[in-house]
Amino acid sequence: MVQKNTEITNQYYITRQDSTESNARSYPRKFPFAIAKAQGSWIEDVEGNKYLDFLCGAGTLALGHNDPEVNQAMVDMLTGSLPLHTLDLTTPVKDEFVHTLLNLLPGELKNNAKIQFCSPCGTDAVDAALKLCKTATGRRTVIAFSGGYHGMGHGALACTGNLHAKEKVNSLMPDVNFFPYPYSYRCPFGLGGDAGVDAACAYFERMLKDPECGVAKPAAVILEPIQGEGGVIPAPVKFLQTVRRVTKELDIPMICDEIQCGFGRSGKFFAFEYADIVPDVILSSKAIGGSQPMAVVIYNKKLDVWEPGAHAGTFRGNQLAMKAGTIVMNRVSKPEFLAEVREKGEIFEKRMQEIKSKVSIIGDLRGKGLMRGIEFIDPKAPADSLGAKPACGEIAAKVQRKCFENKLVMEKGGRNGSVMRCLCALNISKEDLNKGLDIIEKVILEVDLEYK
């Protein structure tokens, strides 16, 4: 029997969740509350406490919670006898979604693209793209990058860098080869800066062109233009351009995983646009469904050699997601909207640089647009050869917990969980953005005192 409202607390729901849901759940362990309401950049728990949301469904809610235009469009569908589940049959809603998306594609892909609707999460798009490229090329190997995150399915997890997620899962997809991803603060070559980027570019090209490199010619190269779970690490322009040039020269499909960094998150509609390149395959999920489940693979039609039924998914016809996603695309793709995302990103960067100058626990600040990362370090530990001190997940966890206590929801990631990540709504007001930054500053100054 459900308790009376006067008796319901966050702990009531957390206890019930603990007794019924999988041990794999993660967010409730960091944010022990039950959400009752949400609007824009704010959420409210069952006890009436209000929180700023800098997580927004891990970047899914590009326009925040319960955007009025998005919600009204879905209400109209629900009350208008329109189909909601159509497998891969077409509808006017789907047709509008498809052509809106195709018209936003860059360069030669705009008039040469096909779309594969998948089951409704990003990991499904990854697995579909791997199948597509293997089928089209007849090859078996895949190149991925250290620090990359592509999902939790067997194929997607095999391409993910995080070892902890994989160590207890046997027989993941074989033939995945990992290459170093430029990360200036913790350069895999021990060089940093432009020298580290040059080394990553040279290593990638020389290895793939070496007949005795030991790596078979791959069916695909998959990367995130901005690594998300890996710690908000943007790929340098030169690196993306090198990967694109080399993969073209060798006729290897390039897959850009834009599941988290795409749809305006970086200040460009697609993050790879900063490098002025066009990949063969784009993966999109999260924000593309306008808050509803949706995942698609967008690819050059030269790869479209699948036979009917070669890839499927029961929920690939989510009409609510297509309607909502069309609205998100139309709004987020406007130049003035993207310019505002970049401007807000600069506000975040400037404030964080000011905070960093006052404390010893921040090692690095990274990101583009409103995809931002704050890497925490142990200030008392010795630095490495590049001057970087060890990543400190303990400090990041303290900052995250104290932010929550101060009514701000933020997630962490990166090596050893040391990076706090901002994935706030793209249309967040500057007032709310600064409120969140005020909380972050207050918390970081408090935590820093513990390490003086």
Side-chain angles (χ1 to χ4, degrees):
M1 180 179 294
V2 177
Q3 294 183 3
K4 296 179 181 179
N5 287 339
T6 55
E7 299 174 336
I8 289 176
T9 63
N10 288 319
Q11 190 56 53
Y12 167 75
Y13 285 106
I14 290 294
T15 299
R16 287 168 65 87
Q17 183 180 36
D18 182 57
S19 67
T20 57
E21 289 191 29
S22 164
N23 200 44
R25 69 193 184 285
S26 59
Y27 291 112
R29 302 179 192 280
K30 305 166 189 175
F31 312 122
F33 64 169
I35 299 173
K37 300 177 184 178
Q39 185 66 53
S41 293
W42 293 87
I43 49 183
E44 183 177 330
D45 68 22
V46 294
E47 297 176 9
N49 301 302
K50 294 182 179 180
Y51 301 76
L52 259 176
D53 188 0
F54 273 26
L55 175 57
C56 284
T60 298
L61 304 171
L63 300 178
H65 296 272
N66 288 309
D67 179 81
E69 184 183 5
V70 171
N71 277 12
Q72 187 59 55
M74 292 192 291
V75 167
D76 291 344
M77 283 195 70
L78 290 169
T79 57
S81 299
L82 296 175
L84 300 180
H85 181 283
T86 63
L87 298 172
D88 60 356
L89 298 168
T90 195
T91 68
V93 168
K94 183 178 188 178
D95 185 78
E96 182 184 19
F97 174 91
V98 167
H99 287 280
T100 299
L101 179 55
L102 291 177
N103 285 332
L104 292 171
L105 298 179
E108 65 267 25
L109 196 56
K110 176 177 281 190
N111 298 314
N112 292 285
K114 290 290 188 77
I115 296 176
Q116 171 70 40
F117 290 87
C118 311
S119 292
C121 72
T123 196
D124 301 308
V126 173
D127 283 347
L130 296 175
K131 285 175 59 179
L132 172 74
C133 292
K134 288 183 175 184
T135 301
T137 64
R139 304 175 204 141
R140 71 178 189 276
T141 62
V142 175
I143 287 176
F145 291 88
S146 56
Y149 177 84
H150 301 289
M152 290 291 185
H154 265 217
L157 185 57
C159 296
T160 290
N162 188 291
L163 295 176
H164 179 72
K166 301 197 264 191
E167 62 185 7
K168 294 184 179 180
V169 184
N170 294 322
S171 301
L172 289 172
M173 183 182 75
D175 296 316
V176 178
N177 300 282
F178 282 87
F179 277 46
Y181 186 97
Y183 179 8
S184 288
Y185 189 64
R186 301 191 186 281
C187 178
F189 299 98
L191 300 171
D194 291 341
V197 176
D198 290 344
C201 291
Y203 183 85
F204 181 81
E205 180 166 10
R206 288 172 182 269
M207 277 288 286
L208 285 184
K209 292 182 176 180
D210 181 355
E212 297 198 21
C213 68
V215 178
K217 186 175 181 179
V221 171
I222 184 170
L223 59 74
E224 296 165 275
I226 305 175
Q227 290 189 342
E229 304 297 324
V232 191
I233 307 172
V237 166
K238 182 177 181 179
F239 180 70
L240 289 176
Q241 291 176 340
T242 298
V243 172
R244 175 69 289 196
R245 175 179 58 78
V246 172
T247 52
K248 272 191 173 182
E249 289 175 5
L250 299 178
D251 191 29
I252 301 168
M254 179 184 181
I255 303 171
C256 277
D257 182 340
E258 293 265 344
I259 290 166
Q260 186 168 115
C261 64
F263 268 61
R265 174 60 52 187
S266 71
K268 297 277 190 181
F269 192 73
F270 292 115
F272 64 74
E273 293 181 274
Y274 278 101
D276 195 27
I277 64 169
V278 180
D280 300 291
V281 183
I282 303 169
L283 307 182
S284 190
S285 186
K286 293 187 184 292
I288 197 173
S291 76
Q292 300 302 303
M294 171 68 70
V296 300
V297 182
I298 309 150
Y299 57 93
N300 193 303
K301 63 184 181 184
K302 69 182 182 183
L303 298 171
D304 196 32
V305 299
W306 271 342
E307 295 179 357
H311 193 76
T314 300
F315 290 99
R316 64 194 185 276
N318 187 338
Q319 299 293 292
L320 283 176
M322 292 176 193
K323 188 66 175 180
T326 298
I327 292 170
V328 172
M329 285 189 283
N330 284 329
R331 284 174 52 185
V332 167
S333 63
K334 290 179 180 177
E336 58 270 28
F337 186 100
L338 293 170
E340 284 191 10
V341 172
R342 294 192 295 272
E343 181 186 357
K344 292 168 191 171
E346 290 167 3
I347 291 171
F348 191 99
E349 175 70 15
K350 182 180 179 182
R351 283 286 305 274
M352 287 308 310
Q353 288 290 354
E354 291 171 355
I355 297 167
K356 181 176 183 290
S357 70
K358 301 175 185 177
V359 300
S360 61
I361 59 175
I362 297 178
D364 195 30
L365 301 171
R366 299 184 293 269
K368 290 183 181 293
L370 286 171
M371 186 172 180
R372 295 282 164 177
I374 309 162
E375 181 165 340
F376 290 94
I377 57 170
D378 180 351
K380 296 181 180 179
D384 64 16
S385 61
L386 292 176
K389 296 194 173 185
C392 188
E394 175 187 289
I395 290 177
K398 285 184 180 180
V399 170
Q400 182 183 49
R401 186 181 68 253
K402 286 179 175 288
C403 279
F404 182 72
E405 291 169 356
N406 283 271
K407 306 300 186 286
L408 174 66
V409 175
M410 280 184 78
E411 176 60 313
K412 57 187 180 66
R415 270 68 169 182
N416 301 310
S418 63
V419 180
M420 289 294 293
R421 301 184 293 136
C422 174
L423 292 168
C424 62
L426 302 184
N427 60 344
I428 188 173
S429 68
K430 291 178 183 177
E431 179 184 5
D432 285 344
L433 178 61
N434 278 304
K435 283 180 181 177
L437 285 163
D438 289 343
I439 295 171
I440 293 170
E441 179 171 17
K442 174 180 180 289
V443 167
I444 289 176
L445 291 175
E446 288 177 1
V447 173
D448 186 65
L449 290 174
E450 300 178 28
Y451 294 85
K452 291 294 189 184

